[in-house]
Amino acid sequence: MNEKDGDQRVIEDAARLIQRLGLITPAVLYGEAFKPLSWLGSQWVHFLGPMAAPVFGLDRVEAYGHLLEDRGNVERLLARLEALAAEEDATGRRQAPKQVPKQE
């Protein structure tokens, strides 16, 4: 698997996760607003990676860090999110966000 295929897989995984959580619109707004800072964000991901790795897995944290380094990948992620939103609108099946169970 080459780097381009790996990036595409990470983009698809991230887009599907954002869709499952019902956060497509906020993610697109945030992504467009902070796209110029994507490289800086990638450096924060690499810096905080050792602390996040036990929760998310080191491979996933590193993949997202590398994804954010290239602004073109951010563009591809935003385009994929917009395509998923268009699919949901066309089919009328917008997913409701997953509810977090309340702890008592």
Side-chain angles (χ1 to χ4, degrees):
M1 178 183 297
N2 62 28
E3 185 175 333
K4 182 101 170 149
D5 291 338
D7 287 348
Q8 192 59 38
R9 181 182 49 79
V10 173
I11 289 169
E12 185 64 27
D13 290 347
R16 292 294 177 174
L17 174 64
I18 291 167
Q19 179 187 35
R20 265 196 323 272
L21 295 173
L23 297 173
I24 290 177
T25 302
V28 170
L29 290 173
Y30 177 83
E32 290 291 347
F34 293 101
K35 191 175 7 177
L37 301 174
S38 65
W39 185 83
L40 185 61
S42 75
Q43 299 309 298
W44 271 105
V45 170
H46 290 306
F47 177 72
L48 297 174
M51 289 178 273
V55 177
F56 301 107
L58 184 59
D59 292 338
R60 178 178 275 179
V61 171
E62 287 179 351
Y64 287 134
H66 289 295
L67 181 79
L68 290 172
E69 286 177 359
D70 180 8
R71 193 177 299 174
N73 287 332
V74 176
E75 287 285 346
R76 286 186 279 281
L77 175 60
L78 294 173
R80 182 63 184 131
L81 289 171
E82 290 169 358
L84 288 172
E87 288 174 16
E88 288 179 347
D89 289 342
T91 60
R93 293 184 300 167
R94 179 141 316 215
Q95 292 183 341
K98 301 292 183 200
Q99 297 295 320
V100 177
K102 292 183 180 180
Q103 295 181 353
E104 296 181 24

mmCIF file of all heavy atoms in Angstrom, residues 75-94:
data_model
loop_
_atom_site.group_PDB
_atom_site.id
_atom_site.type_symbol
_atom_site.label_atom_id
_atom_site.label_comp_id
_atom_site.label_asym_id
_atom_site.label_seq_id
_atom_site.Cartn_x
_atom_site.Cartn_y
_atom_site.Cartn_z
ATOM 1 N N GLU A 75 -8.173 19.234 2.506
ATOM 2 C CA GLU A 75 -9.141 19.525 1.435
ATOM 3 C C GLU A 75 -9.910 18.263 1.043
ATOM 4 O O GLU A 75 -11.132 18.304 0.860
ATOM 5 C CB GLU A 75 -8.428 20.084 0.205
ATOM 6 C CG GLU A 75 -7.930 21.494 0.355
ATOM 7 C CD GLU A 75 -9.057 22.507 0.282
ATOM 8 O OE1 GLU A 75 -10.177 22.165 -0.138
ATOM 9 O OE2 GLU A 75 -8.800 23.662 0.669
ATOM 10 N N ARG A 76 -9.192 17.148 0.912
ATOM 11 C CA ARG A 76 -9.851 15.886 0.531
ATOM 12 C C ARG A 76 -10.815 15.419 1.620
ATOM 13 O O ARG A 76 -11.906 14.920 1.316
ATOM 14 C CB ARG A 76 -8.806 14.823 0.219
ATOM 15 C CG ARG A 76 -8.120 15.051 -1.113
ATOM 16 C CD ARG A 76 -7.193 13.910 -1.497
ATOM 17 N NE ARG A 76 -5.898 14.008 -0.843
ATOM 18 C CZ ARG A 76 -4.926 14.804 -1.235
ATOM 19 N NH1 ARG A 76 -5.096 15.589 -2.283
ATOM 20 N NH2 ARG A 76 -3.769 14.824 -0.601
ATOM 21 N N LEU A 77 -10.436 15.587 2.881
ATOM 22 C CA LEU A 77 -11.329 15.217 3.976
ATOM 23 C C LEU A 77 -12.592 16.074 3.958
ATOM 24 O O LEU A 77 -13.706 15.557 4.082
ATOM 25 C CB LEU A 77 -10.616 15.348 5.325
ATOM 26 C CG LEU A 77 -11.475 15.109 6.563
ATOM 27 C CD1 LEU A 77 -12.056 13.702 6.569
ATOM 28 C CD2 LEU A 77 -10.664 15.364 7.827
ATOM 29 N N LEU A 78 -12.435 17.368 3.771
ATOM 30 C CA LEU A 78 -13.599 18.258 3.731
ATOM 31 C C LEU A 78 -14.500 17.927 2.539
ATOM 32 O O LEU A 78 -15.728 17.931 2.666
ATOM 33 C CB LEU A 78 -13.153 19.714 3.685
ATOM 34 C CG LEU A 78 -12.440 20.217 4.945
ATOM 35 C CD1 LEU A 78 -11.900 21.624 4.724
ATOM 36 C CD2 LEU A 78 -13.353 20.163 6.147
ATOM 37 N N ALA A 79 -13.886 17.613 1.400
ATOM 38 C CA ALA A 79 -14.678 17.230 0.223
ATOM 39 C C ALA A 79 -15.448 15.937 0.488
ATOM 40 O O ALA A 79 -16.615 15.809 0.096
ATOM 41 C CB ALA A 79 -13.771 17.072 -0.992
ATOM 42 N N ARG A 80 -14.814 14.993 1.166
ATOM 43 C CA ARG A 80 -15.495 13.726 1.477
ATOM 44 C C ARG A 80 -16.645 13.965 2.460
ATOM 45 O O ARG A 80 -17.719 13.373 2.320
ATOM 46 C CB ARG A 80 -14.490 12.724 2.052
ATOM 47 C CG ARG A 80 -15.079 11.379 2.355
ATOM 48 C CD ARG A 80 -15.591 10.699 1.092
ATOM 49 N NE ARG A 80 -16.235 9.452 1.427
ATOM 50 C CZ ARG A 80 -17.435 9.088 0.974
ATOM 51 N NH1 ARG A 80 -18.093 9.858 0.130
ATOM 52 N NH2 ARG A 80 -17.964 7.955 1.331
ATOM 53 N N LEU A 81 -16.436 14.830 3.440
ATOM 54 C CA LEU A 81 -17.510 15.145 4.380
ATOM 55 C C LEU A 81 -18.686 15.811 3.670
ATOM 56 O O LEU A 81 -19.852 15.491 3.954
ATOM 57 C CB LEU A 81 -16.992 16.052 5.499
ATOM 58 C CG LEU A 81 -16.051 15.407 6.509
ATOM 59 C CD1 LEU A 81 -15.447 16.460 7.417
ATOM 60 C CD2 LEU A 81 -16.775 14.345 7.315
ATOM 61 N N GLU A 82 -18.387 16.713 2.749
ATOM 62 C CA GLU A 82 -19.454 17.365 1.986
ATOM 63 C C GLU A 82 -20.191 16.360 1.117
ATOM 64 O O GLU A 82 -21.413 16.433 0.971
ATOM 65 C CB GLU A 82 -18.881 18.506 1.167
ATOM 66 C CG GLU A 82 -18.438 19.673 2.041
ATOM 67 C CD GLU A 82 -17.632 20.720 1.301
ATOM 68 O OE1 GLU A 82 -17.366 20.555 0.097
ATOM 69 O OE2 GLU A 82 -17.272 21.726 1.937
ATOM 70 N N ALA A 83 -19.478 15.391 0.554
ATOM 71 C CA ALA A 83 -20.124 14.348 -0.254
ATOM 72 C C ALA A 83 -21.025 13.481 0.618
ATOM 73 O O ALA A 83 -22.140 13.121 0.207
ATOM 74 C CB ALA A 83 -19.073 13.492 -0.955
ATOM 75 N N LEU A 84 -20.578 13.137 1.809
ATOM 76 C CA LEU A 84 -21.419 12.349 2.721
ATOM 77 C C LEU A 84 -22.665 13.126 3.121
ATOM 78 O O LEU A 84 -23.760 12.552 3.204
ATOM 79 C CB LEU A 84 -20.624 11.949 3.963
ATOM 80 C CG LEU A 84 -19.551 10.884 3.776
ATOM 81 C CD1 LEU A 84 -18.728 10.732 5.049
ATOM 82 C CD2 LEU A 84 -20.164 9.562 3.380
ATOM 83 N N ALA A 85 -22.523 14.427 3.363
ATOM 84 C CA ALA A 85 -23.683 15.254 3.710
ATOM 85 C C ALA A 85 -24.665 15.307 2.544
ATOM 86 O O ALA A 85 -25.883 15.233 2.751
ATOM 87 C CB ALA A 85 -23.238 16.652 4.105
ATOM 88 N N ALA A 86 -24.149 15.430 1.322
ATOM 89 C CA ALA A 86 -25.014 15.456 0.137
ATOM 90 C C ALA A 86 -25.742 14.126 -0.026
ATOM 91 O O ALA A 86 -26.926 14.102 -0.372
ATOM 92 C CB ALA A 86 -24.193 15.781 -1.106
ATOM 93 N N GLU A 87 -25.051 13.010 0.226
ATOM 94 C CA GLU A 87 -25.693 11.694 0.154
ATOM 95 C C GLU A 87 -26.822 11.589 1.176
ATOM 96 O O GLU A 87 -27.903 11.086 0.866
ATOM 97 C CB GLU A 87 -24.677 10.578 0.415
ATOM 98 C CG GLU A 87 -23.692 10.344 -0.689
ATOM 99 C CD GLU A 87 -22.626 9.329 -0.296
ATOM 100 O OE1 GLU A 87 -22.822 8.590 0.710
ATOM 101 O OE2 GLU A 87 -21.589 9.289 -0.973
ATOM 102 N N GLU A 88 -26.558 12.056 2.394
ATOM 103 C CA GLU A 88 -27.588 12.006 3.423
ATOM 104 C C GLU A 88 -28.783 12.867 3.049
ATOM 105 O O GLU A 88 -29.928 12.480 3.266
ATOM 106 C CB GLU A 88 -27.022 12.473 4.769
ATOM 107 C CG GLU A 88 -26.079 11.487 5.396
ATOM 108 C CD GLU A 88 -25.511 11.989 6.710
ATOM 109 O OE1 GLU A 88 -25.652 13.186 7.017
ATOM 110 O OE2 GLU A 88 -24.917 11.171 7.433
ATOM 111 N N ASP A 89 -28.530 14.047 2.489
ATOM 112 C CA ASP A 89 -29.620 14.931 2.094
ATOM 113 C C ASP A 89 -30.419 14.337 0.939
ATOM 114 O O ASP A 89 -31.640 14.455 0.898
ATOM 115 C CB ASP A 89 -29.079 16.306 1.702
ATOM 116 C CG ASP A 89 -28.565 17.085 2.902
ATOM 117 O OD1 ASP A 89 -28.917 16.728 4.045
ATOM 118 O OD2 ASP A 89 -27.799 18.045 2.699
ATOM 119 N N ALA A 90 -29.734 13.694 -0.007
ATOM 120 C CA ALA A 90 -30.409 13.119 -1.169
ATOM 121 C C ALA A 90 -31.294 11.943 -0.775
ATOM 122 O O ALA A 90 -32.374 11.752 -1.324
ATOM 123 C CB ALA A 90 -29.385 12.679 -2.212
ATOM 124 N N THR A 91 -30.842 11.160 0.192
ATOM 125 C CA THR A 91 -31.620 9.990 0.608
ATOM 126 C C THR A 91 -32.574 10.314 1.747
ATOM 127 O O THR A 91 -33.435 9.506 2.077
ATOM 128 C CB THR A 91 -30.689 8.850 1.060
ATOM 129 O OG1 THR A 91 -29.903 9.296 2.160
ATOM 130 C CG2 THR A 91 -29.799 8.382 -0.066
ATOM 131 N N GLY A 92 -32.407 11.500 2.355
ATOM 132 C CA GLY A 92 -33.268 11.874 3.469
ATOM 133 C C GLY A 92 -32.963 11.093 4.731
ATOM 134 O O GLY A 92 -33.798 10.979 5.611
ATOM 135 N N ARG A 93 -31.767 10.526 4.788
ATOM 136 C CA ARG A 93 -31.407 9.695 5.941
ATOM 137 C C ARG A 93 -30.265 10.328 6.725
ATOM 138 O O ARG A 93 -29.220 9.741 6.887
ATOM 139 C CB ARG A 93 -30.994 8.302 5.493
ATOM 140 C CG ARG A 93 -32.110 7.509 4.898
ATOM 141 C CD ARG A 93 -31.665 6.137 4.581
ATOM 142 N NE ARG A 93 -30.553 6.220 3.626
ATOM 143 C CZ ARG A 93 -29.756 5.221 3.318
ATOM 144 N NH1 ARG A 93 -29.904 4.060 3.873
ATOM 145 N NH2 ARG A 93 -28.788 5.374 2.437
ATOM 146 N N ARG A 94 -30.474 11.511 7.212
ATOM 147 C CA ARG A 94 -29.446 12.127 8.036
ATOM 148 C C ARG A 94 -29.431 11.394 9.367
ATOM 149 O O ARG A 94 -30.466 11.227 9.998
ATOM 150 C CB ARG A 94 -29.733 13.600 8.265
ATOM 151 C CG ARG A 94 -28.679 14.206 9.137
ATOM 152 C CD ARG A 94 -28.245 15.537 8.808
ATOM 153 N NE ARG A 94 -28.019 15.810 7.431
ATOM 154 C CZ ARG A 94 -27.070 16.617 7.010
ATOM 155 N NH1 ARG A 94 -26.257 17.137 7.873
ATOM 156 N NH2 ARG A 94 -26.944 16.898 5.755
#
